[in-house]
Amino acid sequence: MSFNTFYQQALARKGGEKVLASMLPTVPDRHRLTEMGDDRYLSEITRCIFKAGFVWRVIENKWPEFEAAFEGFVPAYWQQVPPEVLEQLATDERIVRNMQKIRTVPENARMIMDVVKDHGSFGQFLAQWPSEDQVGLLLYLKRNGARLGGNSAQYFLRRVGWDGFILSHDVVTALSRAGLLDASPASKKGLTQAQEAFNRWHQETGMPIAHLSRIVSFTVDN
């Protein structure tokens, strides 16, 4: 199926090209990924994990307090943080006191530091990973990180500016309705089916995959 079918549907629903363009995410040059500090990556990973299954607005409003409580999310510190620090955070009213999610911080800090050993920085690692293989990157994050399955890793990548798709409810609905996705979006098969569709449309249009993903989501009634 040509991407133009989705594009025309999105134009009709959103009121034209100018409005549609204003609703697309910013996709910075990949050099921007290398400029971000490793602490910012740990921060964004943690933000997406805490948002999962929770009211996003609450997490966003409290995030400056999260930054203070986690002392800037420096991975070199958090990868070997003493257990008593985590116990103190579980009673810290500045953050959402979910111990399971708090424990992901040292685990994901260790993942970042392992990557730093091989690539120099987590940003360098992300910058060299091609958007055409988002499935491989998602599986890497799920395997080596903590609570980075489901959509948390997809939202993390979008927030930091890595060009990829998000299998939101609307995107899954649109792909399934078009006969392009017949497996669970959380499964490797489902992710691969989505990747194949977006790769094909990227070649067809030259548009960033993040834009393609957002446009597809606009074809579903909200």
Side-chain angles (χ1 to χ4, degrees):
M1 178 182 290
S2 170
F3 185 73
N4 189 55
T5 301
F6 293 92
Y7 186 68
Q8 294 302 324
Q9 290 177 2
L11 285 180
R13 291 186 182 280
K14 297 303 179 183
E17 292 186 358
K18 186 175 182 179
V19 175
L20 184 61
S22 71
M23 302 174 74
L24 299 179
T26 300
V27 182
D29 185 276
R30 288 210 167 204
H31 181 66
R32 171 77 178 276
L33 294 170
T34 67
E35 295 177 337
M36 282 184 62
D38 295 323
D39 60 317
R40 294 303 84 205
Y41 285 112
L42 182 57
S43 172
E44 291 300 342
I45 286 173
T46 306
R47 191 197 307 242
C48 290
I49 288 171
F50 271 87
K51 279 184 174 181
F54 204 76
V55 180
W56 288 20
R57 183 180 66 257
V58 172
I59 301 301
E60 288 294 342
N61 289 342
K62 292 179 71 69
W63 200 250
E65 295 178 282
F66 270 82
E67 288 282 350
F70 285 95
E71 301 179 18
F73 291 99
V74 178
Y77 168 73
W78 286 102
Q79 71 169 339
Q80 53 188 3
V81 65
E84 55 267 26
V85 173
L86 300 181
E87 293 170 5
Q88 291 169 2
L89 284 168
T91 63
D92 194 325
E93 295 184 356
R94 292 175 295 176
I95 68 171
V96 174
R97 291 162 289 174
N98 182 315
M99 192 58 175
Q100 288 184 324
K101 293 186 177 184
I102 290 169
R103 287 196 179 106
T104 67
V105 176
E107 294 181 60
N108 288 320
R110 285 190 286 273
M111 175 187 68
I112 288 174
M113 293 307 295
D114 286 343
V115 166
V116 169
K117 292 176 185 176
D118 295 329
H119 297 272
S121 72
F122 200 75
Q124 292 280 4
F125 167 74
L126 290 181
Q128 58 82 39
W129 201 296
S131 293
E132 293 78 10
D133 183 31
Q134 182 175 347
V135 175
L137 179 54
L138 292 174
L139 293 175
Y140 180 93
L141 294 172
K142 180 180 180 180
R143 183 172 61 249
N144 294 282
R147 297 179 79 99
L148 287 176
N151 283 11
S152 293
Q154 296 172 32
Y155 281 108
F156 157 68
L157 293 173
R158 175 67 59 82
R159 282 191 64 88
V160 300
W162 194 88
D163 182 26
F165 57 80
I166 293 178
L167 294 185
S168 65
H169 177 269
D170 287 348
V171 171
V172 169
T173 298
L175 293 178
S176 299
R177 189 171 58 192
L180 299 170
L181 179 66
D182 62 11
S184 167
S187 68
K188 184 176 181 180
K189 180 180 178 181
L191 288 170
T192 300
Q193 289 177 337
Q195 182 86 72
E196 289 172 351
F198 284 114
N199 286 355
R200 184 166 62 251
W201 293 331
H202 175 64
Q203 293 176 354
E204 174 190 336
T205 66
M207 296 173 66
I209 290 177
H211 288 187
L212 298 170
S213 175
R214 183 67 65 84
I215 291 170
V216 168
S217 76
F218 292 153
T219 66
V220 176
D221 289 322
N222 294 317

